[in-house]
Amino acid sequence: MPARPQRRRTISRLTIGAAVLATAATVTAAAQPAGADTRHGSRAGRTVDVQLLSFNDFHGNLEPPQGSSGTVEELQPDGSKKSVAAGGVEYLAQSLRTARKGHPYSVTAAAGDLVGASPLLSGLFHDEPTIEAMNKLGLDVTSVGNHEFDEGRAELTRLQNGGCHPKDGCYVKGRKFGGADFPYLTANVTDEKSGKTLLKPYSVWQHKGVKIGFIGVTLEGTPNVVSANGVKGLKFHDEVETIDKYAKVLDRQGVKAIVALVHEGGLPAATSYNFNCDSPGPGAGISGPITEIAKHVTPKVDALVTGHTHQAYACTIPDPSGRPRTVTSAASYGKLYTDTTLTYDRRTHDIVRTKVKAPGAVNHVVNRTQPKAADLTSLIARWNKLAAPVANRPIGHISADIAGRGAEAPESPLGDVISDAQLEATKAADKGGAQLALMNPGGIRSDLAFKSSGSEGDGVVTYGEAFTVQPFTNMMNVVDLTGAQLLTALQQQVSGPNEASPKILQVSKGLTYTLDMKKSGADRIVKDSVKLNGAALDPAKTYRVALNEFLAGGGDGFPVLKDAKNKYVGQSDLEALTAYLTAHSSASDPLTPPKADRITVVK
């Protein structure tokens, strides 16, 4: 069946709910939809169940993600945990199409970061392939995420409205990029001069008298996690205040049923996607920024679809009036989707929200055992053909998986490789004269997997795989920092905005220190343990430090780095990584995973 006609039918359907699975066994149990009134039988004809399918943080992962980035942890009935391979847009599309069957009212929504930090198949073409894929799988609406600003406001607007890239042009002769069929919502992003929202602040889905309003916001702190050029001329406003503002606007228009798409998230108490987030009480299994947002957003909003933290949860957090309200997130990279049921009352035009015991919002695995969506397979093949000359070029060899995004410890083996590569690229006097390198963990987007992703062979690293790890193409900077400033930077990993969720910088060979997690704030960095090549850090001495331009701008909560002096701009971080892999590995002598023993962690 053609994708477009299917989308037009499914756009006339919807759902939402509240709660979550206790164990994998409960996934198969019959469940009363969250939001369903216990008197539902007496309301026959008055209420209608609407299905809300949602996901978040897709990041251009059209093909199944490699390594640990392509698995989810599933809690088994006996309490054990199982790793399940998941993701890939062919499977995501098929999962959504299967889920829609039997639901005359269904809508599909996302919570931002559909693009940005994307693998080469999408990133090489400025994420046009991902937008086309989202059109085909029937996405109806999304909030904007911080990564939608990676290439700036003009590029985000182009992704929405279409048109060929201003620099690279059209990728296929005679074929113009059509843009997104779905609205990107930017309710809390305004132009500094005009005060107008960058794109639409809200959207109303309606079918046969049922109307659901969607308000889309990204995290207020987006300027702290995106390069300055990406957000130039824009203001980012408080999430709660913005949602409340537009909830009133929708209410005045007669739209009483409202869903907030929030690109901000939480930290679940367990890593399994199907853990019970509401044990021992509603929302007890989640912490982080989204909890405060959920507790304070107006009761006019009936559910929150969230993202940003790449975590999986389906929780019930009471709204300010004390009524239960669903808050969900479907991990990342298209590995999960959330199916939520919302009961719409035709008389009140609102969602029936009552306390229910059974799960009504459930995260489902996008498993790779199901058939692929043929139209998405064709889309991938078409773009792969264009990308092949660049993507398939071998650049190095590894002896085993090198964990990056999937590493469990603060210091990752791949983080060591990347920081060493950056130091090597900048240590020569005429290349900046760096003595050490620092790498932000969020810039490491994947693992390097030993298993072949195509026809290149096991252990062979292709340019496309390196691009997946380092997709931002940040330029390397080498700057002057005093020992005191360098110590402050290390302390800022675990204090200030990073205290609740530390961002541990990856460090090049020679820099060592102890991280004591038993302490709090800046005290977690044991001062006298910080050494460079065995010598204690001298607060008064000036050091040449290599770091990417994002970090050099104070990104990720490191304001002290903006005070650096004597900046030298070198090659890109991706060029540094590819050169390092080529120079330090071969088929007969592959690169082995580093021990990741530069940071001693006390727990």
Side-chain angles (χ1 to χ4, degrees):
M1 183 181 295
R4 184 57 54 218
Q6 176 177 343
R7 180 175 185 272
R8 285 173 182 151
R9 283 198 295 275
T10 59
I11 198 171
S12 300
R13 310 191 292 230
L14 171 66
T15 49
I16 253 183
V20 62
L21 295 170
T23 66
T26 62
V27 176
T28 57
Q32 178 181 326
D37 196 297
T38 55
R39 299 163 294 165
H40 183 71
S42 66
R43 294 181 178 230
R46 174 174 164 181
T47 61
V48 59
D49 284 343
V50 189
Q51 179 190 55
L52 175 64
L53 301 176
S54 59
F55 57 95
N56 50 277
D57 296 278
F58 184 74
H59 289 291
N61 278 262
L62 299 172
E63 296 178 301
Q66 293 291 300
S68 60
S69 295
T71 63
V72 293
E73 184 181 274
E74 184 176 79
L75 184 64
Q76 303 299 298
D78 63 0
S80 63
K81 296 175 182 178
K82 177 183 177 182
S83 180
V84 181
V89 77
E90 299 155 292
Y91 301 110
L92 176 60
Q94 188 64 35
S95 293
L96 295 174
R97 291 168 184 174
T98 299
R100 291 174 187 138
K101 292 179 181 178
H103 294 276
Y105 295 82
S106 182
V107 65
T108 303
D113 275 7
L114 298 179
V115 302
S118 305
L120 185 134
L121 179 59
S122 185
L124 184 63
F125 306 105
H126 300 280
D127 284 310
E128 289 181 21
T130 293
I131 298 299
E132 290 186 357
M134 294 297 109
N135 290 343
K136 284 183 177 292
L137 63 74
L139 182 63
D140 294 312
V141 61
T142 184
S143 61
V144 70
N146 55 286
H147 280 285
E148 264 84 16
F149 294 94
D150 284 346
E151 294 191 51
R153 61 189 296 178
E155 178 61 8
L156 172 56
T157 301
R158 186 184 75 89
L159 292 180
Q160 176 72 86
N161 299 328
C164 296
H165 191 270
K167 181 179 178 181
D168 294 343
C170 297
Y171 296 110
V172 179
K173 187 176 180 180
R175 188 171 183 272
K176 183 179 179 182
F177 173 59
D181 291 345
F182 51 89
Y184 259 114
L185 304 181
T186 60
N188 70 329
V189 185
T190 61
D191 181 271
E192 286 183 345
K193 294 181 179 179
S194 69
K196 296 181 179 179
T197 57
L198 179 61
L199 297 172
K200 293 179 180 179
Y202 62 86
S203 179
V204 178
W205 175 90
Q206 50 189 321
H207 177 63
K208 293 184 179 180
V210 174
K211 292 194 284 188
I212 311 286
F214 289 89
I215 302 168
V217 299
T218 189
L219 65 154
E220 183 182 8
T222 290
N224 297 325
V225 295
V226 175
S227 66
N229 286 335
V231 295
K232 187 176 181 180
L234 297 174
K235 280 189 175 183
F236 292 77
H237 304 274
D238 182 83
E239 301 95 333
V240 174
E241 292 177 2
T242 301
I243 294 170
D244 287 1
K245 171 184 175 180
Y246 287 105
K248 291 179 181 178
V249 172
L250 286 167
D251 185 68
R252 288 196 296 267
Q253 294 178 6
V255 180
K256 308 294 184 181
I258 301 172
V259 176
L261 306 176
V262 187
H263 191 72
E264 179 61 286
L267 303 172
T271 53
S272 299
Y273 78 88
N274 57 335
F275 83 106
N276 188 351
C277 186
D278 288 335
S279 177
I286 188 172
S287 59
I290 199 61
T291 58
E292 290 304 305
I293 292 174
K295 289 176 182 177
H296 292 93
V297 161
T298 173
K300 293 180 186 295
V301 172
D302 297 293
L304 287 81
V305 175
T306 75
H308 187 56
T309 56
H310 291 205
Q311 301 299 312
Y313 47 83
C315 306
T316 304
I317 300 177
D319 67 19
S321 70
R323 292 194 299 160
R325 181 163 59 187
T326 299
V327 180
T328 66
S329 175
S332 62
Y333 302 162
K335 294 180 291 187
L336 300 174
Y337 72 90
T338 310
D339 189 336
T340 311
T341 302
L342 196 94
T343 300
Y344 184 89
D345 189 319
R346 291 183 179 277
R347 183 178 298 176
T348 64
H349 309 294
D350 206 348
I351 302 305
V352 179
R353 281 202 282 139
T354 58
K355 185 176 182 180
V356 292
K357 296 181 180 179
V362 177
N363 278 326
H364 295 282
V365 178
V366 176
N367 67 74
R368 300 180 195 166
T369 58
Q370 64 184 312
K372 298 178 181 180
D375 54 334
L376 273 301
T377 300
S378 296
L379 179 145
I380 288 173
R382 173 164 53 85
W383 286 104
N384 259 331
K385 185 177 181 180
L386 291 175
V390 175
N392 297 335
R393 176 169 60 89
I395 60 167
H397 299 77
I398 56 177
S399 65
D401 289 351
I402 303 182
R405 194 75 172 183
E408 296 181 357
E411 178 187 355
S412 71
L414 189 50
D416 286 359
V417 171
I418 291 172
S419 55
D420 286 351
Q422 294 180 352
L423 176 59
E424 183 162 304
T426 56
K427 66 181 180 180
D430 61 344
K431 300 294 184 182
Q435 298 167 274
L436 68 143
L438 303 175
M439 173 64 195
N440 59 305
I444 304 171
R445 306 305 299 185
S446 185
D447 306 328
L448 278 181
F450 177 79
K451 184 176 176 57
S452 172
S453 60
S455 59
E456 75 276 9
D458 290 349
V460 177
V461 180
T462 65
Y463 180 83
E465 291 167 337
F467 187 99
T468 297
V469 170
Q470 293 250 266
F472 297 110
T473 318
N474 274 312
M475 302 309 292
M476 291 304 304
N477 289 186
V478 184
V479 298
D480 283 349
L481 286 174
T482 65
Q485 288 174 314
L486 186 55
L487 176 61
T488 297
L490 295 179
Q491 292 172 330
Q492 288 175 347
Q493 298 175 113
V494 289
S495 62
N498 292 330
E499 182 165 4
S501 182
K503 290 186 173 68
I504 306 303
L505 297 169
Q506 306 301 286
V507 299
S508 57
K509 186 176 182 179
L511 183 63
T512 59
Y513 68 93
T514 297
L515 177 65
D516 189 348
M517 297 305 291
K518 292 182 178 179
K519 297 180 180 179
S520 62
D523 290 338
R524 289 173 170 174
I525 304 300
V526 180
K527 292 182 181 181
D528 59 7
S529 73
V530 184
K531 296 180 180 180
L532 180 61
N533 300 322
L537 192 70
D538 184 346
K541 184 177 179 179
T542 297
Y543 297 87
R544 292 292 284 166
V545 182
L547 65 177
N548 62 46
E549 59 185 320
F550 170 69
L551 268 181
D556 268 354
F558 293 93
V560 70
L561 298 179
K562 292 192 296 183
D563 298 330
K565 307 292 184 182
N566 194 21
K567 182 171 70 174
Y568 168 88
V569 179
Q571 62 185 191
S572 74
D573 52 8
L574 179 59
E575 289 173 314
L577 177 60
T578 57
Y580 184 86
L581 290 171
T582 299
H584 292 273
S585 68
S586 65
S588 60
D589 186 20
L591 183 70
T592 58
K595 295 180 180 179
D597 56 0
R598 300 165 188 179
I599 304 172
T600 300
V601 181
V602 178
K603 297 181 180 179

